[in-house]
Amino acid sequence: MGIAEVALHTMPGAFAAHSPASNLPLGADARRRKRNANLVPNARALPGLLKIPRLRSVRRQCQRIDDLARVTEGNGTWVKDAMNNASQAVGDGRPDQAVGGNGGLNGHTVKPPPQRRKTSSVEDEAWELLQESMAYYCGSPVGTIAANDPNDSDPVNYDQVFIRDFIPSGIAFLLKGEYEIVRNFILYTLQLQVLAVSCYLIFFMLFSFKVRTVPLDGDEDATEEVLDPDFGEAAIGRVAPVDSGLWWIILLRAYGKCSGDLSVQERIDVQTGMKMILKLCLADGFDMFPTLLVTDGSCMIDRRMGIHGHPLEIQALFYSALLCAREMLAQEDGSADLIRALNNRLIALSFHIREYYWLDMQKLNEIYRYKTEEYSYDAVNKFNIYPDQISPWLVEWIPPKGGYFIGNLQPAHMDFRFFSLGNLWSIISSLATTHQSHAILDLIESKWSDLVAEMPLKICYPALENQEWKIITGSDPKNTPWSYHNGGSWPTLLWQLTVACIKMNRPEIAAKAIEVAERRIAADKWPEYYDTKRARFIGKQARLYQTWSIAGFLVAKLLMEKPDAARILWNDEDAEILNALSTNRKRGKKVLKKTYIV
């Protein structure tokens, strides 16, 4: 059981509300009936944890995702309106049929192992595997499961659809012109998110969901499909998936740009979903900086790895999501304050990251000569960084040409590790300047043997070792040095490297990395990650046939064939932000001091 659980057919008139037989489409089974919608949730919590009723399953008959009712803003009634007026059933799907094949009776997997056929190329095999990983709900594709190894008898939660894991899958389908699965994913995950708020008036970021086939209430011979969401309350370590909502906004924009279908982002429920995410991210707190303050394990690195605070990955995704949302938000009176806050945050965040996270040889030498304990508005060492924090590895590693954004910045603390995703998405989102973007790619080329070697790409460099590993990770046996999140190599990062290289007109770097991956990734059965400094071994606990490894490779290949398609993912440099930053520097940073310490 989770922290607490409740069957969501407790929602009056929402997912539990079945249409009368007379309203069902032709061919629908007459046995479909209304259920009792007045059960009382059983909310239990583990000692010391917030009482979060676990959304155990979304029980309902198959309904069109298109027909959500009109959403109204106000004191939360818009959420209930959206869910209470669920749509009519679709097609002639029957409640006694299991649709899609990746759910299981009572939550247990019952699918037969997929038959692997020999294909003509690595790319062909990848497409076949990606299609086999698709999850279906009531006959419609709604996502891809995290891994689909036919020989894995204990998938744990790798048989779920994860928000962040689906992003490369979604991009691959978009580039292939298969829009339905991405559209369904966007809208169904929104429904799950909104339902949580309507039930408990608390906003949670959705971590993952699973399609299950369970017995139909009151009929032992019939089954139905349910969506079983997880908001992190069942995740290992109970980590908060802060990046999920940011990725959702980025994918929403990509869908509109690639398909040309802007009706999805213009829907009232989708507009409201964006506003929910933005208001959470822009909410006032105790933090003094424009960066998002998060706990450890809140992004792709979802275990204890010393990234709590203001990790670069979250800031880059945050910046990108703000820009994407600004493009899509309807210009109306109710959005004026939100857009104003969004613009202010973009300016402050851009300045903060570019100015204080950047590291190259010149900047490192400045830090080496820092004076400490400075008290003034014009202090050079604003965060009171002690020069002794500079690690010996960094002095030898930093190249004369090139640079990167450090992993984290807090008072008296700089995390000098190189984090690939954060740096690559800083390029893609234009959080980095043109000069900084080229310098990051220069560094990757210069340190190819460290960051790429025999399989792209290191998730971070270097690994935590010895006493540092024990203290920071808590002696995590999965994050041992040069494994998993601690310096492991992740093939899924290939697609983000490719987008960054194309944006900066340096596709030859991506082509070289793709060639490295193509030599062995299929023969190795598409692992989740690789171990050792040079990525020579398949990860000791890596899942095989990992979907985002497959999808990341496909997206990289597709973008190399059609480089212009990468525009659906990147953000161009914003003229207003540039102008504001230029004005701010001329005025001695007084503009930004009104809101944030930068």
Side-chain angles (χ1 to χ4, degrees):
M1 297 299 180
I3 295 175
E5 58 185 37
V6 58
L8 285 189
H9 60 297
T10 59
M11 282 293 294
F15 288 99
H18 287 196
S19 303
S22 59
N23 293 333
L24 292 177
L26 185 63
D29 196 304
R31 287 183 299 168
R32 294 183 182 180
R33 60 185 75 93
K34 292 183 179 180
R35 290 200 202 93
N36 178 5
N38 297 311
L39 300 179
V40 179
N42 175 23
R44 297 184 298 172
L46 294 176
L49 293 180
L50 177 66
K51 289 186 177 181
I52 304 174
R54 180 166 181 249
L55 306 185
R56 185 178 181 187
S57 60
V58 174
R59 292 173 176 264
R60 64 173 190 169
Q61 286 191 335
C62 304
Q63 295 165 328
R64 286 193 183 92
I65 196 67
D66 305 320
D67 299 331
L68 280 177
R70 180 180 58 86
V71 181
T72 59
E73 291 190 277
N75 59 357
T77 58
W78 63 269
V79 187
K80 295 180 181 178
D81 290 343
M83 294 306 168
N84 289 344
N85 297 306
S87 60
Q88 300 291 323
V90 62
D92 60 352
R94 301 178 178 222
D96 57 344
Q97 293 177 335
V99 185
N102 61 333
L105 190 61
N106 294 325
H108 298 293
T109 302
V110 294
K111 63 181 180 182
Q115 298 297 316
R116 307 292 190 210
R117 297 194 306 272
K118 290 184 178 180
T119 51
S120 58
S121 72
V122 174
E123 198 169 348
D124 291 338
E125 178 186 342
W127 275 115
E128 183 176 311
L129 293 172
L130 184 62
Q131 290 167 344
E132 288 176 359
S133 73
M134 292 168 67
Y136 290 82
Y137 176 63
C138 300
S140 298
V142 293
T144 52
I145 59 176
N148 194 26
D149 183 358
N151 298 315
D152 188 352
S153 59
D154 182 22
V156 193
N157 59 351
Y158 281 76
D159 59 351
Q160 297 187 22
V161 179
F162 286 84
I163 306 303
R164 73 171 67 97
D165 291 42
F166 178 73
I167 302 304
S169 296
I171 300 302
F173 286 121
L174 288 178
L175 295 175
K176 269 291 190 178
E178 299 179 18
Y179 306 135
E180 180 191 9
I181 185 173
V182 181
R183 188 173 188 273
N184 289 343
F185 173 86
I186 289 169
L187 295 176
Y188 274 114
T189 52
L190 174 64
Q191 280 196 357
L192 293 173
Q193 190 74 72
V194 168
L195 186 61
V197 181
S198 66
C199 281
Y200 310 116
L201 304 181
I202 301 175
F203 186 84
F204 307 109
M205 292 288 194
L206 182 63
F207 192 70
S208 63
F209 68 89
K210 182 175 180 177
V211 183
R212 297 186 188 275
T213 304
V214 299
L216 185 65
D217 288 353
D219 191 340
E220 296 180 355
D221 298 325
T223 61
E224 64 177 342
E225 289 190 331
V226 298
L227 295 178
D228 186 354
D230 176 19
F231 293 86
E233 80 274 23
I236 297 171
R238 302 301 189 262
V239 291
V242 177
D243 63 336
S244 291
L246 307 177
W247 278 123
W248 186 86
I249 291 175
I250 292 167
L251 182 64
L252 174 63
R253 173 181 177 263
Y255 170 82
K257 281 188 166 291
C258 192
S259 68
D261 175 17
L262 302 182
S263 65
V264 174
Q265 67 190 47
E266 292 170 353
R267 289 168 52 134
I268 298 176
D269 55 332
V270 173
Q271 287 282 315
T272 308
M274 271 195 292
K275 291 176 184 177
M276 289 167 60
I277 296 170
L278 293 173
K279 286 177 180 177
L280 178 64
C281 293
L282 296 171
D284 292 335
F286 290 107
D287 201 21
M288 302 175 71
F289 308 120
T291 41
L292 269 184
L293 178 64
V294 300
T295 62
D296 225 338
S298 58
C299 51
M300 180 180 176
I301 297 178
D302 57 0
R303 297 171 76 91
R304 180 176 163 187
M305 270 290 291
I307 65 167
H308 56 280
H310 309 88
L312 176 65
E313 177 177 334
I314 290 293
Q315 315 315 321
L317 293 175
F318 180 37
Y319 186 81
S320 182
L322 291 178
L323 288 173
C324 292
R326 191 173 65 174
E327 283 185 31
M328 297 184 289
L329 280 173
Q331 299 295 320
E332 55 189 20
D333 293 340
S335 301
D337 289 342
L338 180 62
I339 293 175
R340 188 178 303 110
L342 186 155
N343 285 329
N344 289 339
R345 192 63 166 264
L346 279 169
I347 295 169
L349 180 62
S350 177
F351 179 86
H352 188 85
I353 297 295
R354 293 177 180 184
E355 190 78 9
Y356 302 124
Y357 275 62
W358 183 250
L359 188 73
D360 55 16
M361 180 68 84
Q362 179 181 345
K363 183 66 176 181
L364 184 61
N365 204 163
E366 289 178 16
I367 297 171
Y368 180 74
R369 293 169 52 82
Y370 268 169
K371 296 178 181 180
T372 59
E373 315 304 327
E374 293 183 281
Y375 179 82
S376 75
Y377 290 110
D378 299 319
V380 175
N381 186 4
K382 291 180 173 59
F383 300 94
N384 202 33
I385 302 299
Y386 306 117
D388 287 346
Q389 289 183 22
I390 299 174
S391 301
W393 71 265
L394 181 60
V395 176
E396 301 300 326
W397 194 74
I398 191 81
K401 179 184 178 183
Y404 67 99
F405 289 121
I406 60 174
N408 213 325
L409 176 64
Q410 300 183 71
H413 172 66
M414 276 184 163
D415 185 345
F416 290 109
R417 286 176 291 176
F418 175 88
F419 289 85
S420 294
L421 195 158
N423 275 279
L424 292 175
W425 211 264
S426 295
I427 297 173
I428 295 167
S429 66
S430 292
L431 178 56
T433 65
T434 300
H435 169 76
Q436 289 170 338
S437 296
H438 280 295
I440 293 169
L441 295 180
D442 288 341
L443 180 135
I444 291 174
E445 278 194 305
S446 176
K447 298 300 177 180
W448 191 266
S449 61
D450 292 329
L451 302 176
V452 178
E454 298 185 33
M455 179 59 66
L457 185 62
K458 285 293 180 197
I459 191 170
C460 68
Y461 184 92
L464 301 171
E465 298 182 283
N466 305 317
Q467 193 69 15
E468 192 176 31
W469 166 74
K470 291 180 180 179
I471 294 171
I472 293 178
T473 73
S475 300
D476 186 348
K478 194 167 185 177
N479 272 332
T480 52
W482 306 109
S483 179
Y484 202 48
H485 298 139
N486 190 15
S489 297
W490 292 68
T492 187
L493 294 171
L494 186 60
W495 75 273
Q496 298 176 61
L497 174 64
T498 302
V499 177
C501 291
I502 290 173
K503 181 174 186 281
M504 302 312 299
N505 198 28
R506 297 173 69 173
E508 68 281 357
I509 300 175
K512 184 179 176 183
I514 293 170
E515 183 182 353
V516 171
E518 200 163 7
R519 289 175 196 156
R520 60 181 293 203
I521 193 168
D524 290 343
K525 301 180 181 178
W526 305 92
E528 180 182 12
Y529 64 93
Y530 287 78
D531 284 356
T532 74
K533 282 187 177 183
R534 293 187 53 81
R536 301 194 69 183
F537 293 165
I538 296 172
K540 57 186 175 184
Q541 295 188 43
R543 302 284 170 157
L544 302 181
Y545 300 105
Q546 182 80 12
T547 304
W548 69 352
S549 295
I550 296 165
F553 173 81
L554 285 172
V555 171
K557 294 285 285 187
L558 287 168
L559 291 178
M560 292 301 290
E561 294 171 5
K562 298 180 179 179
D564 285 345
R567 293 182 178 274
I568 69 171
L569 293 164
W570 79 55
N571 306 99
D572 290 318
E573 185 80 89
D574 187 273
E576 292 181 15
I577 295 176
L578 278 176
N579 182 60
L581 291 177
S582 176
T583 302
N584 176 66
R585 285 191 174 91
K586 291 177 181 177
R587 295 179 181 176
K589 306 173 189 174
K590 290 181 181 178
V591 174
L592 298 181
K593 281 183 180 177
K594 292 179 181 178
T595 308
Y596 298 104
I597 294 178
V598 297

